[in-house]
Amino acid sequence: SLWPLPFATSCCGIEFMSTMSSDKDISRFGAERPSFSPRQSDLLIVLGTITHKMAPVLKRIYDQMAEPKWVISHGACASSGGIYNTYSVLQGIDHIIPVDLYLAGCPPRPEAYMDAFMELQRRIQNESLMKSRTEARHKLLAKA
């Protein structure tokens, strides 16, 4: 079971709240406990627009998480800057942290998030060598 850390900055965060309701029941996947401490979570969910001023905060939170850790880029703004093609908005969080899954939509529906969550669980289950995954992450971060 993954313990998600929601990093919500705009409307995607509001839509994400419905996944925690009894109607969607994310607890059946073992993720009913959102953690708001990076040291106690292993899944970072970035929800919404990230400005250049907020980017160092997001990077620091990612760095504080223990390995193994995963990242979901939730929505158009986190994935590509969305409709905000301006000097102040980061055009995708993958410029500062590695992303495991991109979730399309503005905002994505709760069902789409649950599909992405199950896909991430499948990927984690099929990972054979954690060492090679960690090395790939370090190479990506070294380029940044």
Side-chain angles (χ1 to χ4, degrees), residues 46-47 95 105 113-114 121 126 131:
V46 182
L47 307 131
H95 290 283
Y113 169 72
M114 294 195 317
Q121 286 180 324
N126 293 331
K131 181 179 177 189

Side-chain angles (χ1 to χ4, degrees), residues 55-120:
V57 175
L58 177 61
K59 176 82 168 93
R60 187 175 314 121
I61 287 172
Y62 176 80
D63 290 341
Q64 289 174 352
M65 294 172 65
E67 289 285 345
K69 54 188 168 185
W70 297 274
V71 177
I72 292 179
S73 180
H74 189 278
C77 291
S79 299
S80 66
I83 61 171
Y84 306 106
N85 189 9
T86 65
Y87 69 93
S88 62
V89 175
L90 186 65
Q91 300 300 301
I93 63 168
D94 54 1
H95 290 283
I96 57 169
I97 60 174
V99 176
D100 294 294
L101 275 174
Y102 295 90
L103 194 52
C106 183
R109 302 217 8 107
E111 295 84 3
Y113 169 72
M114 294 195 317
D115 285 342
F117 192 82
M118 289 187 291
E119 173 62 25
L120 184 61

